[in-house]
Amino acid sequence: VGTLRSLDNSTTNYSLISQSFNTGEITATAGLYASSTSPNNYVQDFVTAYTGGITGRLVGRSSVNTSFNSGKVTSTYVAKVSDTDSQFEYVGMNDFLGIAADDSATYIGARGVGGIVGFTSYDPSATSQSGRMSISNVYNTGDVYSFAGVGGIAGYLAFGNISEAFNGGNITAYGTHYD
């Protein structure tokens, strides 16, 4: 499932993936570009890949339970940021890994890649445990690779709950990301 979305955060209206598994390889080669500005006016460019072994993205009061992934999950998007005109030049993961350590260029890459769920979105007003998304009784044994925001269970999780989860796969982030 690419995106699992509930219509709201109520306890009676939710979306659920249950008793599911994936054994195949999942690769994202692009993502959603975004830019955020911190309170001290620091601008951060990033690419959200929304890539996961069971679902790429959970939205609202959604849940994944009793599920597993054993397939490799990868997002390969990396771009070089131009110093002069803020344009992006696609580089790709393999070329990025071969760049010399003293290269002073700025690179952005995909984030939000996980063995079970890639990225979660939420309603900040859902402060109760029952109004949050949950990931439970899951495991991942597949390797997970991306630029940043990488996890064995979830690549990016906010206002959610994870319980009874296990990761046995290798997790690799080959870049950095700052929130």
Side-chain angles (χ1 to χ4, degrees):
V1 174
T3 297
L4 182 65
R5 179 182 182 83
S6 64
L7 296 177
D8 58 38
N9 289 317
S10 74
T11 58
T12 59
N13 185 8
Y14 64 92
S15 299
L16 169 69
I17 295 176
S18 183
Q19 299 180 5
S20 300
F21 66 92
N22 172 58
T23 59
E25 186 171 324
I26 297 172
T27 301
T29 58
L32 174 66
Y33 168 78
S35 182
S36 65
T37 305
S38 70
N40 62 354
N41 292 323
Y42 175 74
V43 177
Q44 172 68 46
D45 296 316
F46 58 90
V47 177
T48 302
Y50 301 151
T51 309
I54 300 300
T55 185
R57 183 175 176 207
L58 286 179
V59 181
R61 190 180 183 295
S62 303
S63 298
V64 175
N65 66 43
T66 319
S67 299
F68 74 89
N69 173 59
S70 62
K72 180 179 174 183
V73 181
T74 305
S75 180
T76 60
Y77 184 85
V78 179
K80 182 177 182 178
V81 180
S82 169
D83 291 334
T84 57
D85 57 7
S86 296
Q87 296 295 312
F88 302 105
E89 174 189 345
Y90 177 76
V91 176
M93 178 176 63
N94 292 331
D95 289 339
F96 175 77
L97 294 175
I99 292 172
D102 61 353
D103 182 355
S104 63
T106 301
Y107 293 87
I108 63 170
R111 70 174 187 161
V113 180
I116 301 297
V117 175
F119 190 90
T120 62
S121 297
Y122 62 93
D123 178 349
S125 66
T127 56
S128 72
Q129 294 291 325
S130 64
R132 296 178 180 181
M133 63 201 72
S134 75
I135 302 167
S136 63
N137 195 21
V138 297
Y139 71 91
N140 172 59
T141 58
D143 294 342
V144 183
Y145 299 95
S146 186
F147 189 81
V150 184
I153 303 302
Y156 188 96
L157 179 75
F159 288 94
N161 302 309
I162 297 177
S163 64
E164 299 175 3
F166 168 79
N167 175 64
N170 296 310
I171 309 304
T172 305
Y174 48 87
T176 58
H177 171 77
Y178 304 98
D179 267 339

